[in-house]
Amino acid sequence: MTIFVIPGYFANAQPGAVVYSDLARQRLLIRITAQYIHTISQGQIDMDSAIRIPCKVYALSPLLAYNEGFSNGDGKPSAGTRLLDAGRIAEAKALLGTQRREARLRLLLELGSYFVFKPGAEKADLEQASKYINEALLLSKKAPLLWKVESMALQAHWLEQSGLAAEGQKVFDELVTLCDLSGNVLTSAQVLLRAGEVLHYGDPARLIKLEKALSIFRKANAKEKEIETLSLINIDYFVSKKYDVAENYLRTIVNLQALINFRHQQYPYDALSWLAYRKGALTDALSYSNKSLASLTSKADSTFISYFYIRRGLIYERLLKLDESLTWYDKGLENKTPATRLFWYKALIGKVLTLNEVGKANDALLLLKEAKRNYPPNTYFDKMHFAFLLGKTYDNLKKFSLAESNYQIFLTMVEKFPVEYIHDEFPSAFFQISTFYRTIGKTSQAREYLERGKGYISSFDILAKNNYYYNLFKIDSIEGRHLDAIRHLRLSYEFTDSVFSYDQRKRTEELLVKYEAEKKDKNIQLLNSQNQLERIRTEQAHRTRNIMLAGLVLTLIIIALLFNRYLIKQRTNRKLVANQRELDQKNSFLETLNTEQDKLLKEKEWLLKEVHHRVKNNLQMVTSLLYSQSVYLQDDTARLAVKDSLRRMQAMALIHQKLYQDENTSSIAMPEYINELTCYLQESFDDSGQITFRQTIEPLSLDVSQAIPLGLIVTESIVNTIKHAFLNGQKGVVRIELQQDGPDYLVLKIADNGIGLPAGLDLKEYNSLGLELMQGLAKQLNGHFKIENNNGVLVTVRFITVSKHYSDTSSPEKIS
């Protein structure tokens, strides 16, 4: 069977799409939508193509569905991601030559994922993917565990898409063992989820892997992953027609989605509507259909609205409201295009079937001919059902030879259609073909196709069972099997009554509730009437005597009260008008004041950013001049002094660069600043990569007045370490720590495991600009500076802080 893929239509992002701000729910939106599309398409579209559809609709990167293990924690796309999303593949490949270490590993995995998960399984794509995966596997041996896990997982997907599914599962199993041994339980669950997802529906190992992953996600309270896993398990139960189990899973999914404020609940509600429809619980089916349509809250969501209109049309069709059913099918056919036929083509099928039911076979034939001319069926599913629709339409037009030839095309194609994608259409189609052969007198063939249709009926489908026994009754009657005919007719009525009893019971309960409420209201009215009658009898004599006088007095009182109310209302209205006028004036003044203040604030922020930009540019200009001057210096000591000055200016320039680039123009995030400063110094002095830097930086921001001297101290310490601590290519480790020391102090420690300070060195007598500079900068920080031997050199600066913590989801320890 041919798989329908969408190579180009969903390549670019849809402008204006609204999605969630966090990566977890963005990935869940992609996966949930893709699973729904893949399932409801009944095999017409592969999963990789299904992934690209919500990415296009909601303006998300397709790589987001696959890069969970190696993407940036803050969700920012890498340079490679941006190039691949824009279709600039050659530039992404060229970028690979400029990347090193983990940046290169990430780009290798992005390129490999791009080619592995492209729609279809083209040999050329898989060959390109293999090149990047093999290099990633090689580099990951010397990298942290996560890179090895991601490289091997991508290799497993490559094997599966290359037709080597068993080998791919072996790699997945190795990964699970590796993750379990290293204690990475959550990563193990993610591997199990992907391993189970690629297995064929009905494979026992599929459910085993998915349920094991589900157990881990639940213990870790990973709600988004729990929902994704439950959705996959639910699909497996749908395919195996265990609809009671599937219904329970769907209710759990809906509740979990509500817990995490995941508003895209149209897919589980639509599935619940379909289950209720099959059971004959049409009131529930309509209620769930309403909820699925109510979940479509944005223009992007409405891309798939035809699916939900089709569901509504099916419900009205079963309610025998065929005109309303046609209306919903027509809504599903609005704005149809060749590119979106996957979403609306089933509305065409539903409309043709309904037109035949209401006796408009000629209209149905015209619709089919128009569709064949403008939107010819191009998938196996569409061609198969198009033949059946022609057969049914010609059948109703009494053109039996044309009907039979098209029915036979359908029956031939059914033999090759995957069982897991068979839904309601097949029992209905076989029963219709059985009816056709019974009508033309071929009862043996009619019985054969009726029995074939019975094999596709689920335990839920009460109407199909009724249809089966009713057709069996008809065949038995023609063949003279009268006892069998009576028995089968009775069974047909039992299933009809089952549906009716359900609806009837629901209506009766509603009527009883209404009746009890009305009965209580009538009893209350009767009691009031009796009391009123007794009171009337008692007061009758007095009322006759005093009625005229009481009426006159009452009239005078009413007139007086009305006049008084009129005067009070007039006075109140005048006050309200005056107050409203004063309030409007104050509001106008406040709006003007707020507007001016906002304008001044924005101007202030812009000017401050501009100042930092200009300071940074001026520092860069001075740096450039010093560098140019150093070229002409002959004295090595002078040249070294100039280079030291260049380095110190760069540390200050980096501060001002971050200030004008960030929203916050008064403080510096220290983890990022020290990391960038360390990378700059390592690239400047340590080309061989002999030194490893380990940073443990408290997630805090410092005012500019403290960040600049602290950055210069870090610069001086690191440069001294690079120059003097490790001789003759010796490898070493430099640790940089910035930690809170009590509520009011911070401690900066820079330690290496190098040769240490010379024995007998007197720091007070030692004449060094760098040392004096660090001591002076420590005093500027109102802090205490100390340098000592401690298995190497340890520099400690303890100072009073004006820091403030900020949120940072990255790890506190970074290795460069």
Side-chain angles (χ1 to χ4, degrees), residues 109 116-117 133 137 147-159 168 171-172 175 190-191 194:
L109 291 173
V116 166
F117 298 113
I133 293 170
L137 286 167
W147 297 108
K148 185 174 183 179
V149 171
E150 294 303 319
S151 302
M152 289 180 67
L154 189 56
Q155 180 192 32
H157 280 290
W158 180 88
L159 288 167
V171 175
F172 278 129
L175 270 177
Q190 291 172 348
V191 173
R194 296 294 162 241

Side-chain angles (χ1 to χ4, degrees), residues 531-597:
N531 291 336
Q532 186 177 2
L533 182 60
E534 290 296 326
R535 190 168 56 254
I536 289 172
R537 288 173 179 174
T538 304
E539 298 175 355
Q540 185 68 41
H542 300 288
R543 183 175 298 175
T544 303
R545 186 181 59 233
N546 298 325
I547 191 167
M548 294 300 297
L549 181 61
L552 179 61
V553 172
L554 184 61
T555 302
L556 291 173
I557 292 172
I558 290 173
I559 292 172
L561 288 172
L562 289 174
F563 183 71
N564 184 53
R565 291 293 298 170
Y566 171 76
L567 292 177
I568 293 172
K569 185 177 180 180
Q570 288 292 98
R571 188 164 55 251
T572 303
N573 285 342
R574 286 194 295 271
K575 289 182 179 179
L576 286 173
V577 169
N579 289 339
Q580 184 64 46
R581 188 181 299 112
E582 183 181 356
L583 186 60
D584 289 343
Q585 290 174 349
K586 290 180 178 179
N587 285 340
S588 176
F589 174 74
L590 287 173
E591 287 177 2
T592 304
L593 185 61
N594 286 338
T595 302
E596 291 177 355
Q597 287 179 341

Side-chain angles (χ1 to χ4, degrees), residues 604-618 656 659-660:
K604 179 183 175 182
E605 290 177 352
W606 180 84
L607 288 171
L608 193 54
K609 285 179 177 287
E610 185 65 20
V611 167
H612 287 302
H613 194 178
R614 290 177 182 270
V615 170
K616 180 257 182 184
N617 286 345
N618 289 337
H656 291 282
L659 285 171
Y660 81 77

